[in-house]
């Protein structure tokens, strides 16, 4: 049902590797889990934004608040 290079998931919790496209491994899962825990504990997204491009830029370029 999916194709190579297809993006699946919420950009709010994607690792920089998932955004940029190199191969991912278990560390990407840990990054995403950290984002979910951040959301649960802080009550806000680690990389808020209005659109996919904005969120993807913040994931790659910025540290979470």
């Amino acid at each position: 049902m999916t194709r190579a290079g297809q993006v699946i998931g919420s950009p709010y919790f994607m690792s920089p590797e998932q955004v940029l496209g190199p191969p991912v491994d278990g560390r990407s899962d840990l990054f995403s889990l950290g984002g979910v825990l951040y959301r649960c504990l802080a009550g806000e997204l680690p990389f808020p934004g209005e659109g996919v491009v904005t969120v993807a830029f913040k994931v790659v370029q910025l540290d979470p608040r």
Side-chain angles (χ1 to χ4, degrees):
M1 294 179 65
T2 62
R3 297 183 189 137
Q6 186 176 11
V7 177
I8 298 175
S10 171
Y12 297 109
F13 305 109
M14 285 185 169
S15 68
E17 295 82 17
Q18 288 175 295
V19 172
L20 295 174
V24 297
D25 57 24
R27 293 174 289 185
S28 181
D29 292 336
L30 289 176
F31 183 94
S32 297
L33 176 61
V36 171
L37 292 174
Y38 185 100
R39 171 71 177 188
C40 291
L41 296 172
E44 59 187 35
L45 293 166
F47 302 101
E50 291 297 318
V52 174
V53 174
T54 302
V55 173
F57 174 81
K58 288 180 178 183
V59 167
V60 172
Q61 298 294 328
L62 303 177
D63 291 328
R65 299 189 272 183

